């Protein structure tokens, strides 16, 4: 089974702190994603990466950065946490939609989520 | 940017009643995926629709993709308490980037 592991289920941080959210997947997926989930807003894409050292901005990248030094690991960084970044953060991974001549489903496999509270 | 609108936001039904959630995009999608998130859990992939007019069934769940590939629906027949959760559609434009709808939260009175 695919496993996507997020380092922390619950975090409480103070305004201005630097926050690292780590995500590791064990299925050799090329694509990795960071979403935040807020009531009534669904899942909003922050950043995604389709290869090591590659990253693309999603719909709400402001206030966030990411790092992908190894294929299995994708980190989300909040340089200076603010109260409006209190949210559930979900990491996901997938094969690319077209890979090696085969069309994969591209279905996302999600981690359990990290609930961040910024005070 | 690309957006997927999903309605309704909430739906409460009696057990045994049917349930439908709808997704709409203003532009043509490459495909659409559906996910279910149980309370306290993470989204889990249900299905992907790719072809215009496609209809797929999984037991009591029926998924449809519109002829213009701009809308989709999920219909659950005779709901059961195990169907409780939030259902998300996610539209794909191009190759990699999925955009999720706001989700429909289904609650069921047993």
């Amino acid at each position: 089974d695919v496993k996507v592991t997020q380092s922390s289920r619950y975090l409480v941080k103070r305004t201005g702190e630097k926050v690292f959210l780590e995500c590791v997947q064990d299925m050799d997926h090329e694509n990795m994603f960071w979403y935040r989930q807020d009531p009534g807003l669904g899942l909003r894409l922050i950043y995604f990466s389709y290869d090591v050292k590659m990253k693309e901005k999603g719909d709400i990248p402001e206030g966030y950065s990411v790092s992908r030094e190894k294929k299995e690991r994708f980190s989300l960084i909040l340089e200076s946490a603010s109260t409006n970044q209190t949210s559930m953060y979900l990491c996901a991974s997938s094969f690319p939609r077209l890979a090696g001549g085969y069309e994969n489903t591209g279905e996302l496999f999600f981690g359990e989520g990290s609930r961040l509270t910024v005070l | 940017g690309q957006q997927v609108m999903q309605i309704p936001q909430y739906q409460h039904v009696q057990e045994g009643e049917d349930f439908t959630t709808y997704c709409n995009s203003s532009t043509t999608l490459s495909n659409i995926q559906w996910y279910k998130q149980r309370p306290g859990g993470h989204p889990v992939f249900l299905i992907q629709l790719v072809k215009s007019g496609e209809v797929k069934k999984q037991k009591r769940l029926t998924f449809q993709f519109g002829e213009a590939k701009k809308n989709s629906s999920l219909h659950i027949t005779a709901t059961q308490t195990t169907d409780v959760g939030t259902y998300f559609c996610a539209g794909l434009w191009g190759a990699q980037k999925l955009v999720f709808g706001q989700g429909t939260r289904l609650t069921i009175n047993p």
Side-chain angles (χ1 to χ4, degrees), chain A residues 31 37 40 97 105 108 112, chain B residues 9 35 37 42 48 92 96:
Chain A
N31 296 344
Q37 182 174 17
R97 187 164 171 258
T105 62
L108 300 187
E112 294 293 329
Chain B
Q9 189 173 353
Y35 292 78
Q37 184 176 25
H42 58 276
Q48 174 177 266
L92 185 69
Q96 311 296 354

Side-chain angles (χ1 to χ4, degrees), chain B residues 46-58:
Chain B
L46 293 176
I47 208 160
Q48 174 177 266
L49 305 172
V50 178
K51 298 176 183 175
S52 169
E54 190 169 15
V55 178
K56 287 189 176 179
K57 293 192 175 186
Q58 290 179 349

Side-chain angles (χ1 to χ4, degrees), chain B residues 9 13-14 18-19 33 37-38 52-53 59 67 69 77-78 82-83 85 88 90 100 108:
Chain B
Q9 189 173 353
V13 300
Q14 291 290 127
D18 293 355
F19 160 77
Q33 299 180 6
Q37 184 176 25
R38 294 183 187 275
S52 169
K59 297 183 181 178
E67 294 289 341
K69 298 183 72 173
T77 304
T82 53
D83 296 324
F88 292 98
F100 281 78
I108 298 173

